[in-house]
Every structure is written in C-alpha cells, then in structure tokens.
Amino acid sequence: MRILSVASECVPLVKTGGLADVVGALPGALAPLGHDMRVMIPAYPGILEKLRNRVEIWADPDLFGGPAKAHLGRVADLDVIALDAPHLYRRDGGIYADAGGDYPDNPERFAALCWAAAAIARDGGGDGWTPDILHAHDWQGGLAPAYLHYHGSGGTRSMLTIHNIAFQGITGADRLSALRLPPEAFDKEAAEYWGNLSTLKLGLVKADAITTVSPTYAEELMRPEFGMGLEGVIASRAKDLHGILNGVDEAIWSPEHDDAIAPYSARSLKGKATNRARLIAEFGLGDVPGPLAIVVSRLTWQKGIDLLAEALPDFIAAGGGLAMLGSGDRDLEEAMRRAAHIWPDRVAVRVGYDEPLAHRLIAGGDAVLVPSRFEPCGLTQMYGLRYGTIPVVAATGGLNDTVIGATPASLSAKAATGITFHPVDHIALAGALRRLVALHADRPVWTTMVKRAMKADVGWHGPAARYSEIYGNLTA
Ligand SMILES: Nc1ncnc2c1ncn2[C@@H]1O[C@H](COP(=O)(O)OP(=O)(O)O[C@H]2O[C@H](CO)[C@@H](O)[C@H](O)[C@H]2O)[C@@H](O)[C@H]1O
C-alpha cells in the first residue's frame, strides 16, 4: 500500500520531541509488511540540501501567500517530500517559534503543508505515485483530512494520529477563510471550539480513522482530566479510535551497537558499569553509593519535573544520585540547577538538547525517571528498558502499557521490568524512589530485573502490524 505521512518533524532531518522519532521510524517499520510510505514535512532551512536524488514533484504559485514547490528525495532509508515555501518556512528561529514566541502565522504555515499534502494525495505527486492513505500527525496535520473531505479525496482515505492532545492548533474564528475552510467548517460538529477554531478537532472529526500512541491513552482521552476539552469529540469517534504503542528504532537505540557508548548486552553487562563510571565523571559527580537516576526530557508541567524537585531530598539522603538533560520552562531549569547547587556531588544538570549525550545518559544510568502527569506513549522509558536502565514511571498512558511495576506479585512471577507509582504526586514519587533504592541494594533481584527489562519487546514489529491492519481495513 502507498501511504503519505504528513508531519511537522521527522528524524533524522528535524526533531524537537518524540513525534519526530515516530514519524522517522514508521516507514522502515512498515516496509517489511509491503507498505511504501513517504514522509512529507516543511523544508525548513537546511532540509533541501540533505535530500539525495532530489526532484520537484509539485508546485503552486500561491500557497498561502507565496510560491511553493514540493521536492522528493532520499535521506538515510526514507523517501521524503519537503515542501519548500520560503515565505512560510525560511525563518531564523526554531521550527515553531523564535525568541519572541510562537510564529503568529503557525496556523497558515501548517495549513499550507496540509493543503499541499491533500493535493498530492488527491492528484498524485507528478511522478505517478498516488497514495491510498494520507496519514497525518498531531494538530499540524489536522487540516489534511479536512481538505480531503471538503475539496475531494480522489478516493484517498485518511488517518490522524494523536501524539499529544495538549497541542490543539487553536486560532481565531476570523482565520476560517484564510485557512481555506468553508463556512460550514465553523460548526461545533467540525472545527468550532469555544468560539475559536481547532485544527486538531477538525482533523479528529473528519479523519476516517484516528489512532493514538498507546491503548491506555486512547481510553484516558475520553475523560476530562486527559482529553483537555476534546474528550467529547474523541468519545464520539470511539469506534474509529485505536491505541497503538510506539516502538523503539533499534537501528538507533541498541546497547549492543551504539557508537555513543561502551557497548553491552543482557549477557554481558560489563560495558554498562563502564558507562556509569564515565557518566559520573562527565557530570562531575562524586561517589553515588545508591542508584544513579537519569532524566532526558523536555522540562514542562506534563513531564512532572516539579514533582521530582520535591521528591529529591529523601532520595539523595538514601544514597541516590541524579544526572539530567533537558530544556524547556525556565522555572523548572532553575529548580533543577538549585538542586545541583545544594548537592554538587550527587546532582548534575545539563540544560540543552544533545542527542549523543542522551545516549550516554540512557546507557550510564541505573534508572530512568519519567514522572509524567500524562504521557501518550513515552519513548525514554522504552529506551531505558532496552538499555537495562530501570524505568521509574507514573502509571499513566503509555508508561502504564510498557513497564511492569515491581510488586511482590510481579517479582515472584518474574515479570517486573520497572517501578510504577500512582497517583502522580511527589509523595507517590518519593515512595517509588524509596523502592528503587531498596531494589537496587538487593543485587541478585536487581540484576535479574535489569536483564529481564533488556529482553522486553519494545520494537516496531508489533505496532507496525497493527498500523498495517488498520490501513487494510480503511482501504478494504
Ligand atoms: N534535551 C534533550 N536532548 C536530547 N534528546 C532529548 C531531549 N529531550 C528530549 N529528548 C528526546 O526527545 C524524545 C522525547 O520523546 P517522548 O516520547 O518521551 O516525549 P514527547 O513529549 O516529546 O513526545 C510526544 O510524542 C511521542 C511520540 O508519539 C509520545 O511518545 C509522547 O508520549 C508524547 O508526549 C526522546 O527521543 C528523547 O530522548
């Protein structure tokens, strides 16, 4: 089957979070099942230069205020369509914002991506390639199913994946015609959202199928605490909604052959101890007698970093250490820097975005902490499993679906792969960290759990089969 995947980011070209990992991994995961997926993203600065064998496949003299061309090319093993529209994507700042905040024309920037994707899905890309399915991601892709609905689909079916419902593409109702939507789209059964427009909502209403990135999150999304205002819309589409876990791209994340670390495996963990020692040295920590916990995360309310700051004193007093990499909210960066100042031998923080360092942390830690208030799937806990770095996670969303928490029952059944806690507050997190310290001290039990975690199935094989099944149902 031919599938056009439409998103705002994609590894290895451009990444701000987990969306990019998943968009970049899906084509390779689906190829063995006979699917031919192309990924369409904006041609942000530097993207076109990275495409091999580049050919122009589509053009529009006026795409939301300026000329645009779509180029097809190869990057690694991916077929990428990069939409070059300089008036929308050639900016000096980040891909969504600069120092002054979000770009005010973000709705038009991603509407343009959706418009071009829908046109290619409907009419083909000029090289004879016409997709059977347009698979859009998050609010940036939300208008693609809508354009197929309002302007003709040519038989192409649509699917929308929710990676994070916190971002809903909300903009003023006065932008309706600027976004090339017909008057009837301003309706509570369509894009209207408390007097505004939501591109995510419209996508959820108009897509032929909806997926999200874990079974638990699919259920959570129908509740007000998680649906963030869209719970009713989601519930009304329950029969078309599927929760499919993400996988780990094992070409990038495997401790047996990871260039960024001293390699190791479940059979020989010697390299893991080397990575721990190197990490402690790199972060300038002293002796850490208990577990060395690590965090690799965006620093936001979602990720529960404030809870960690509160739970930390007892963990440090019990012998634990923390090495952390992240960036985001200034207040959270500051809170973690303060902790590093109080316990310089035990806590160290790097503010920034650093891919190789993320690998060194995942390999060198004893445990990876993910105290998220909500987590659609989460990838770092799965990297943790793969690398024998025990996940300590809130029992929510995909964290709940990927980690088997250590309890007397799960330990005696030889099933535990991590530590889970609930409710998501600093008291429960502190309790989880106490359990971490105790388990880590029980060397035989700990080592068995580490090896078991490394064997957990976190690959793309199973999830890819589920996507394939849904694509099949859509086109049957
Ligand atoms: N400072 C830093 N330096 C280097 N690397 C960093 C980094 N901060 C984060 N990363 C990396 O970015 C990715 C984050 O992915 P997550 O899935 O954990 O969360 P995110 O909220 O971005 O994704 C959303 O989409 C994904 C994909 O569906 C869902 O899993 C998730 O639940 C949802 O919130 C990981 O690959 C991580 O290693």
Side-chain angles (χ1 to χ4, degrees):
M1 209 172 289
R2 289 171 167 179
I3 304 143
L4 180 61
S5 177
V6 184
S8 55
E9 37 187 286
C10 173
V11 162
L13 289 168
V14 52
K15 166 170 168 176
T16 71
L19 167 68
D21 292 292
V22 173
V23 171
L26 268 175
L30 289 163
L33 303 173
H35 298 299
D36 172 13
M37 177 180 266
R38 290 181 177 179
V39 179
M40 182 153 173
I41 58 168
Y44 307 112
I47 299 266
L48 284 182
E49 294 70 16
K50 292 188 184 135
L51 298 186
R52 302 190 310 268
N53 309 331
R54 201 170 86 205
V55 286
E56 185 186 317
I57 56 161
W58 182 89
D60 185 338
D62 178 20
L63 184 68
F64 291 78
K69 289 177 179 166
H71 300 265
L72 170 68
R74 295 276 293 172
V75 176
D77 290 331
L78 297 179
D79 288 316
V80 173
I81 300 174
L83 180 64
D84 187 27
H87 59 297
L88 300 172
Y89 306 129
R90 284 206 201 147
R91 307 263 160 110
D92 290 335
I95 63 173
Y96 305 121
D98 61 14
D102 283 354
Y103 298 123
D105 61 346
N106 273 346
E108 286 81 1
R109 294 173 73 227
F110 296 105
L113 176 71
C114 292
W115 184 270
I120 290 171
R122 186 187 307 120
D123 308 325
D127 66 339
W129 191 91
T130 308
D132 304 289
I133 294 189
L134 185 160
H135 181 168
H137 300 269
D138 273 351
W139 76 266
Q140 296 92 343
L143 289 181
Y147 290 143
L148 290 180
H149 171 82
Y150 291 118
H151 300 283
S153 70
T156 303
R157 308 280 285 159
S158 65
M159 173 153 143
L160 180 64
T161 296
I162 307 166
H163 295 265
N164 193 338
I165 206 149
F167 305 101
Q168 304 183 343
I170 293 175
T171 188
D174 55 343
R175 301 252 283 272
L176 190 74
S177 68
L179 294 179
R180 303 187 180 177
L181 292 170
E184 65 265 31
F186 190 68
D187 185 280
K188 75 178 186 5
E189 302 296 325
E192 192 270 338
Y193 187 73
W194 300 101
N196 288 315
L197 299 174
S198 161
T199 64
L200 180 66
K201 181 184 172 195
L202 188 57
L204 292 173
V205 173
K206 298 302 181 193
D208 294 311
I210 302 168
T211 68
T212 189
V213 287
S214 69
T216 295
Y217 195 57
E219 285 180 14
E220 287 174 341
L221 281 175
M222 295 182 216
R223 301 175 198 279
E225 329 63 296
F226 293 100
M228 299 192 170
L230 290 173
E231 56 276 6
V233 181
I234 304 272
S236 74
R237 302 277 337 250
K239 73 172 178 34
D240 303 309
L241 171 69
H242 312 269
I244 308 176
L245 277 176
N246 291 329
V248 167
D249 189 337
E250 294 182 276
I252 301 173
W253 291 98
S254 286
E256 297 84 1
H257 23 252
D258 181 334
D259 291 344
I261 63 163
Y264 60 96
S265 66
R267 240 181 298 140
S268 167
L269 288 167
K270 232 190 294 151
K272 183 144 183 72
T274 308
N275 290 309
R276 186 186 195 270
R278 285 184 187 166
L279 190 62
I280 284 178
E282 178 174 3
F283 273 73
L285 295 171
D287 182 36
V288 181
L292 175 64
I294 62 111
V295 171
V296 178
S297 183
R298 295 187 290 115
L299 303 183
T300 62
W301 181 85
Q302 173 193 348
K303 304 292 182 182
I305 303 300
D306 52 321
L307 308 177
L308 180 56
E310 284 191 81
L312 211 48
D314 285 354
F315 179 58
I316 302 302
L322 175 70
M324 175 164 179
L325 168 65
S327 62
D329 294 355
R330 287 287 134 75
D331 289 354
L332 294 172
E333 290 178 6
E334 207 31 59
M336 296 318 297
R337 280 202 178 105
R338 268 200 306 276
H341 185 72
I342 299 172
W343 300 288
D345 281 354
R346 293 288 193 78
V347 179
V349 177
R350 296 277 181 282
V351 171
Y353 187 92
D354 185 335
E355 201 83 35
L357 181 55
H359 284 247
R360 296 198 292 279
L361 280 156
I362 298 278
D366 295 308
V368 53
L369 309 185
V370 195
S372 304
R373 291 189 165 87
F374 68 94
E375 196 60 75
C377 179
L379 293 169
T380 51
Q381 86 282 8
M382 294 203 277
Y383 303 154
L385 289 170
R386 195 67 191 76
Y387 282 67
T389 304
I390 294 299
V392 178
V393 304
T396 185
L399 302 173
N400 190 50
D401 294 333
T402 50
V403 178
I404 301 174
T407 62
S410 67
L411 284 169
S412 77
K414 299 188 172 30
T417 56
I419 293 169
T420 58
F421 64 94
H422 200 79
V424 192
D425 61 21
H426 71 94
I427 299 170
L429 173 58
L433 292 174
R434 277 196 296 277
R435 282 182 277 144
L436 170 65
V437 170
L439 270 172
H440 181 259
D442 189 340
R443 297 316 289 172
V445 172
W446 178 263
T447 306
T448 307
M449 187 157 89
V450 165
K451 292 185 174 176
R452 192 186 301 127
M454 293 182 78
K455 290 175 194 153
D457 181 7
V458 291
W460 268 107
H461 185 73
R466 292 281 329 274
Y467 278 108
S468 182
E469 189 186 325
I470 297 168
Y471 295 148
N473 292 341
L474 279 179
T475 51

